[in-house]
Amino acid sequence: MSDKVLVYHGEQLARYHFGADHPFGPARHDAFVERLRKRGLDGSVTHGAPASASRAEIERFHDRDYVEAVKAASQAGVGMLDPDTPAVKGIYDAAASVVGTGLAALEQLMQGHHKRAFIPIGGLHHAYRDRAAGFCVFNDCGVLIETLREVYGIQRVAYVDIDAHHGDGVFYSFEYDPNVFIVDVHEDGRHLYPGSGSSEETGKGEAEGTKLNIPMPMYADDEKFLAIWPEAENFLAQKKPEVILLQCGADSLKGDPITHLHYSEATHAHVTRRLCTLADQYSQGRLLALGGGGYNLDNLATAWTAVVSEMVNSGT
């Protein structure tokens, strides 16, 4: 096994965007890669190439009719998949690359070649099984969770989400699943899309108590985050997950144009450092981080390189 962190980037991933005038624009991928090089981290990681998911792989999570609809809309290149998500030409292939790259990273972790991996364009946590939502066409997080169970026989999966927006597409898709443990720390849904994720939502049926939503007030900073984090960490330790997925959206940093949280990259660094420790204790080291949101280019470059740096340091 290599102790080096596996970092995926490349043109296929960069193509997942909705144009220069959209918040999820074309410069996000390259902003991260440039900062990775400027920080000197590119020589400390293993570089992975993007891959494309098959329809069968995408349909481990998504409904067949929805996948077909995306394919048709992608060919036409007109209209909207949902009010926030344009049906730009080629978006099917771009979204399939996001999913496929996640699956490639997962395979590396599950085969024991690497312990940690990071993908900047991923964590598309709003898409539901049957529809797009909030800039998210295919929910790579959902596909990864289904793949862990279906392909690798993993029973206990932890999904941790620190994006400013509640990961509703993941949460409600697995709300009744007692073996998917969710920690979602997000800006209070009373102030921000998608308007969900109250602390009372802890899972349903047999899954009650397997989900932890922590809504944060507007303008919450690192200090407020660090005050709530022990609850999240204790929750995860009790569940003893076999694999940990981290959606580390950078839209929770101060200065994001569409959110109101005031974290710095110190929050992302702390979460990554602590999850690396938990992964080493319970998950054979397996931690896969997905970039998620973030619409201030400097913020996302800063936060995501902080995540990679902590992953790199955790192996020394």
Side-chain angles (χ1 to χ4, degrees):
M1 175 188 286
S2 173
D3 284 334
K4 282 197 170 183
V5 178
L6 188 55
V7 176
Y8 285 85
H9 57 89
E11 179 58 28
Q12 277 181 269
L13 275 178
R15 287 180 189 148
Y16 188 88
H17 65 81
F18 301 98
D21 295 331
H22 191 276
F24 206 117
R28 301 171 77 252
H29 170 277
D30 290 353
F32 162 72
V33 174
E34 181 181 354
R35 186 67 60 84
L36 192 76
R37 290 173 181 151
K38 281 187 175 180
R39 287 197 58 179
L41 288 167
D42 57 318
S44 301
V45 303
T46 298
H47 299 270
S52 186
S54 68
R55 275 195 63 163
E57 289 170 330
I58 295 168
E59 288 172 6
R60 287 175 188 158
F61 177 83
H62 286 289
D63 294 350
R64 180 172 299 179
D65 288 348
Y66 170 62
V67 176
E68 184 59 36
V70 172
K71 197 170 186 67
S74 175
Q75 291 169 347
V78 295
M80 303 290 288
L81 295 171
D82 93 300
D84 301 306
T85 313
V88 297
K89 202 168 188 66
I91 195 61
Y92 175 92
D93 290 335
S97 292
V98 174
V99 175
T101 303
L103 292 173
L106 194 63
E107 182 178 19
Q108 289 293 308
L109 268 59
M110 297 310 297
Q111 290 185 353
H113 300 314
H114 292 268
K115 290 198 305 181
R116 329 273 199 227
F118 177 79
I119 305 171
I121 307 300
L124 305 180
H125 60 173
H126 293 307
Y128 284 74
R129 295 184 188 271
D130 62 350
R131 65 187 187 275
F135 314 160
C136 304
V137 176
F138 295 143
N139 192 322
D140 53 318
C141 313
V143 175
L144 291 172
I145 292 169
E146 296 290 14
T147 299
L148 280 166
R149 282 105 65 86
E150 180 180 327
V151 176
Y152 297 106
I154 293 297
Q155 298 297 312
R156 302 185 310 281
V157 181
Y159 172 78
V160 181
D161 192 325
I162 59 171
D163 192 288
H165 302 87
H166 182 236
D168 56 327
V170 179
F171 186 89
Y172 296 113
S173 295
F174 297 100
E175 190 175 19
Y176 287 88
D177 193 318
N179 295 313
V180 178
F181 313 122
I182 296 178
V183 171
D184 198 312
V185 186
H186 50 273
E187 185 175 333
D188 194 318
R190 290 173 294 182
H191 309 130
L192 190 70
Y193 176 93
S196 55
S198 75
S199 58
E200 288 76 28
E201 295 180 276
T202 62
K204 291 185 176 179
E206 293 182 1
E208 186 175 352
T210 63
K211 319 290 187 259
L212 180 63
N213 278 308
I214 305 179
M216 301 294 285
M218 294 173 73
Y219 316 119
D221 56 10
D222 294 337
E223 184 178 2
K224 285 186 170 60
F225 184 94
L226 292 175
I228 62 87
W229 178 251
E231 178 186 4
E233 192 169 324
N234 291 336
F235 174 88
L236 292 168
Q238 290 169 8
K239 304 305 182 187
K240 298 179 172 57
E242 297 170 87
V243 178
I244 301 175
L245 305 177
L246 168 63
Q247 203 274 22
C248 50
D251 49 8
S252 49
L253 269 67
K254 183 178 181 180
D256 190 273
I258 64 175
T259 69
H260 314 95
L261 295 177
H262 279 187
Y263 305 161
S264 77
E265 71 274 14
T267 283
H268 284 61
H270 182 79
V271 167
T272 306
R273 185 163 57 249
R274 298 305 304 154
L275 289 182
C276 284
T277 298
L278 286 171
D280 287 340
Q281 288 176 327
Y282 303 114
S283 314
Q284 299 181 39
R286 296 179 298 214
L287 173 63
L288 173 54
L290 309 164
Y295 309 101
N296 174 309
L297 295 180
D298 184 63
N299 278 357
L300 68 82
T302 300
W304 294 347
T305 52
V307 169
V308 173
S309 179
E310 290 297 333
M311 287 180 157
V312 169
N313 291 335
S314 76
T316 59

